């Protein structure tokens, strides 16, 4: 990894400072509030942590219900597995819908609506008389409800934290593993006492508690103040320093994106946010300056705003609700530390030229429109009337132009393969244990082991990936490869002890898949493309989740063994990790091709 000469870096930083000073006077007075990095935010983290315990605990321990449904309805294993597949698939595929609603109504309202829908659907499921009815009630109804809860639980945390975001989101998502370790034995106990119908009703009541946690997602309110007052209060609220922060980007698609350069193989531009040792400045170094000049305060004010500049030809459009506009933040879905993102120079084919009004509608144009445009009716998919905020986010997340990017295509295929095998252990591990003669109670403990190991894995891998000297892509790839190999070899486990070892390895390594996806996307594609890439990734993950468990079930129906299903899942996960090792070489190839094209154009004609 190379860096430019000090003089060049200094000139570049001076240009950044000049741009920021010019943009301060153009900051939208109705823009989004600055994350306070604390205060009520810690209550939001507690609410998000609790929601992850309940929602992910229900989803990942569903294998306990699967065994009961097999016995009660006496259907095939592949057919019955569609219940869990539809549940997870709908939850993921509803991500763009949830994001669009969050941008219009805020995290609080969407979370409450999702909790009510999921709870009601689970309660109705106790009256199901066929597996097909469970497809509708648990699969579609509960899946959509959980989908409306899942994304706001993350976005609400990123709204409140910037410098401490990695810590805050890490605490919140740890509830997922803890929930699995709690809900697996809890579900088993409820089924033994109340049958599966009563257990569903009890869990429906637990899911209803998410309404209270949703009420804790208090929206940040932007309070307009005079410039002098803002400059006085700024050091208390802003964690960005102009000497350690990269240049902000606008919605212009031709500008370079932001990227953490230590997760790929080639960087051909100098870092800007470097300390004296040549490393990325960490969050604890950002607030050491006690005296600042008015000009520096102005720069800091500009950097604390997510959208800095607006074209002269358009006017700012105030948001209709105080909760609106959450998804207009470029980093709304970014779970890592914002201050570890280095300035990004394109290291892959330049695909920033998207159709006007589509890509970047959220990032750059959401708060700035021509005066007449807000009054025009907005329609999603050309026929569904909706608000401007909803339409902006949906268009952004469903913009398929990014599929022209070869790096994103590789990562999407990898993610698809991971998702195919991801849910197989959660659905079939308890059933596999019972086939080996392990009791249902001990079988539920295996899912609990996965949950505990997953919590530890998210903490350890998240901590390591936040270090500037760690190659996050390599950590991600190795984790998936080990996870896949362990899953394929789990067919050799013949008792509770060895299944427990496998559960621990699987839970720990799969933590990279669920915890590092958003930061890897930013590393590879840049912050500007995160919303678009994450939306499409959720869609493909949902599609893959539809087919994974049923395939494993059909393999059992054909071979009368769960072994082929685990081998299939392990193979897809291992391949998904191995194929990503090709990304650094592809980046270097694309960079050389682009450089050659630029050199050819630069040759003067005689």
């Amino acid at each position: 990894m190379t860096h430019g000469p000090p003089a060049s870096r200094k000139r570049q930083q001076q240009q950044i400072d000049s741009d920021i000073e010019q943009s301060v006077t153009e900051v939208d007075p109705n823009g989004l509030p600055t994350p306070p990095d604390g205060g009520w935010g810690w209550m939001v983290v507690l609410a998000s942590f609790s929601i992850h315990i309940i929602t992910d605990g229900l989803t990942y321990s569903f294998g306990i219900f699967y065994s009961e449904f097999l016995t009660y309805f006496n259907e095939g294993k592949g057919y019955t597995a569609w219940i869990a597949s539809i549940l997870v698939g709908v939850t993921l595929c509803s991500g763009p819908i949830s994001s669009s609603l969050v941008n219009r109504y805020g995290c609080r309202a969407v979370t409450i609506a999702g909790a009510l829908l999921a709870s009601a659907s689970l309660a109705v499921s106790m009256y199901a008389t066929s597996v097909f009815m469970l497809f509708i009630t648990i699969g579609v109804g509960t899946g959509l409800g959980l989908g409306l809860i899942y994304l706001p639980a993350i976005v609400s945390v990123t709204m409140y934290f910037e410098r401490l975001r990695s810590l805050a989101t890490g605490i919140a998502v740890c509830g997922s593993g803890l929930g699995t370790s709690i809900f697996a034995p809890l579900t088993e106990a409820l089924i033994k006492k109340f049958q599966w119908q009563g257990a569903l009703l009890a869990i429906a009541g637990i899911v209803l508690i998410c309404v209270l946690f949703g009420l804790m997602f208090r929206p940040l309110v932007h309070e307009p103040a005079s410039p002098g007052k803002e400059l006085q209060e700024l050091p208390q609220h802003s964690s960005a320093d102009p000497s350690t922060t990269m240049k902000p980007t606008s919605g212009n698609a031709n500008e370079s994106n932001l990227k953490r350069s230590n997760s790929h193989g080639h960087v051909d531009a100098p870092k800007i946010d470097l300390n004296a040792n040549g490393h990325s400045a960490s969050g604890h170094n950002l607030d050491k300056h006690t005296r600042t000049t008015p000009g520096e305060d102005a720069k800091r004010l500009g950097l604390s705003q997510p959208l800095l500049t607006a074209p002269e030809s358009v006017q700012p459009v105030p948001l209709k609700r105080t909760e609106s506009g959450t998804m207009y933040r470029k980093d709304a879905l970014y779970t890592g530390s914002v201050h570890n993102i280095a300035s990004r120079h394109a290291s892959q084919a330049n695909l920033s030229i998207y159709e006007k009004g589509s890509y970047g509608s959220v990032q750059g144009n959401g708060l700035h429109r021509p005066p007449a445009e807000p009054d025009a009716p907005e329609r999603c998919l050309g026929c569904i009337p909706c608000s401007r905020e909803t339409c902006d986010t949906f268009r952004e997340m469903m913009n398929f132009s990014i599929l022209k990017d070869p790096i994103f295509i590789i990562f999407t295929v990898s993610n698809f393969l991971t998702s195919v095998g991801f849910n197989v252990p959660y659905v079939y591990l308890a059933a596999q244990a019972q086939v080996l003669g392990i009791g249902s109670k001990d079988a539920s403990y295996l899912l609990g082991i996965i949950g505990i190991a997953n919590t530890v894995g998210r903490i350890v891998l998240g901590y390591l990936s936040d270090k500037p000297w760690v190659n996050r892509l390599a950590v991600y790839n190795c984790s998936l490869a080990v996870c896949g190999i362990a899953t394929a070899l789990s067919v050799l486990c013949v008792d509770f002890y060895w299944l427990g070892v496998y559960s621990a390895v699987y839970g720990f390594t799969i933590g990279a898949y669920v915890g590092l996806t958003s930061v890897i996307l930013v590393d590879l594609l840049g912050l500007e493309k995160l919303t678009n890439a994450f939306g499409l990734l959720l869609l493909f993950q949902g599609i893959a989740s539809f087919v994974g468990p049923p395939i494993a079930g059909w393999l059992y129906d054909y071979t009368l063994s769960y072994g082929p299903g685990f081998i299939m899942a392990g193979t897809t996960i291992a391949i998904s990790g191995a194929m990503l090792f090709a990304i650094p070489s592809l980046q270097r190839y694309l960079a050389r091709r682009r450089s050659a094209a630029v050199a050819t154009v630069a040759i003067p004609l005689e």
Side-chain angles (χ1 to χ4, degrees), residues 128-173:
T129 58
S130 67
V131 172
F132 182 79
M133 289 184 63
L134 293 178
F135 290 169
I136 305 301
T137 56
I138 293 181
V140 178
T142 305
L144 181 58
L146 296 182
L148 295 178
I149 299 174
Y150 166 70
L151 189 133
I154 296 296
V155 174
S156 59
V157 176
T158 65
M159 285 172 51
Y160 273 87
F161 291 90
E162 185 175 85
R163 181 172 58 89
L164 300 176
R165 180 176 299 179
S166 183
L167 172 64
T169 55
I171 295 174
V173 299

Side-chain angles (χ1 to χ4, degrees), residues 177-178 180-182 445 447-457 504 507-508:
L178 182 61
T180 306
S181 62
I182 293 175
Y445 290 153
L447 294 178
I449 293 174
I450 291 180
I452 295 173
N454 187 257
T455 301
V456 176
F508 184 92

Side-chain angles (χ1 to χ4, degrees), residues 297-345:
D297 283 337
K299 300 171 193 174
R300 184 176 299 185
L301 173 62
L303 284 170
S304 67
Q305 301 297 328
L307 299 174
L308 293 175
T309 60
E312 297 179 357
S313 60
V314 298
Q315 297 294 330
V317 177
L319 300 174
K320 298 178 181 180
R321 301 165 55 94
T322 56
E323 300 90 346
S324 298
T326 301
M327 299 303 297
Y328 284 138
R329 291 186 181 275
K330 292 188 292 291
D331 59 345
L333 298 172
Y334 186 70
T335 59
S337 175
V338 177
H339 296 282
N340 281 344
I341 306 176
S343 59
R344 176 183 181 270
H345 186 82

Side-chain angles (χ1 to χ4, degrees), residues 5 124 138 195 327 352-353 366 518 535 576:
V124 172
I138 293 181
Q195 302 300 316
M327 299 303 297
S352 299
I353 304 176
S518 68
S576 71

Side-chain angles (χ1 to χ4, degrees), residues 504-522:
V505 174
Y506 175 82
F508 184 92
T509 53
I510 204 64
Y513 167 65
V514 293
L516 300 182
T517 298
S518 68
V519 294
I520 296 297
L521 281 176
V522 172

Side-chain angles (χ1 to χ4, degrees), residues 92 415 419 513 517 536-546:
L92 295 172
N415 230 253
S419 299
Y513 167 65
T517 298
L536 290 180
L537 211 59
L538 286 177
L539 181 63
F540 287 111
Q541 286 177 0
I543 295 173
S545 298
F546 278 120

Side-chain angles (χ1 to χ4, degrees), residues 221-241:
V221 179
H222 177 76
E223 298 179 359
S226 61
K229 182 178 179 181
E230 287 182 343
L231 291 177
Q232 293 174 3
E233 295 181 350
L234 196 55
Q236 303 174 10
H237 300 288
S238 175
S239 59
D241 189 289

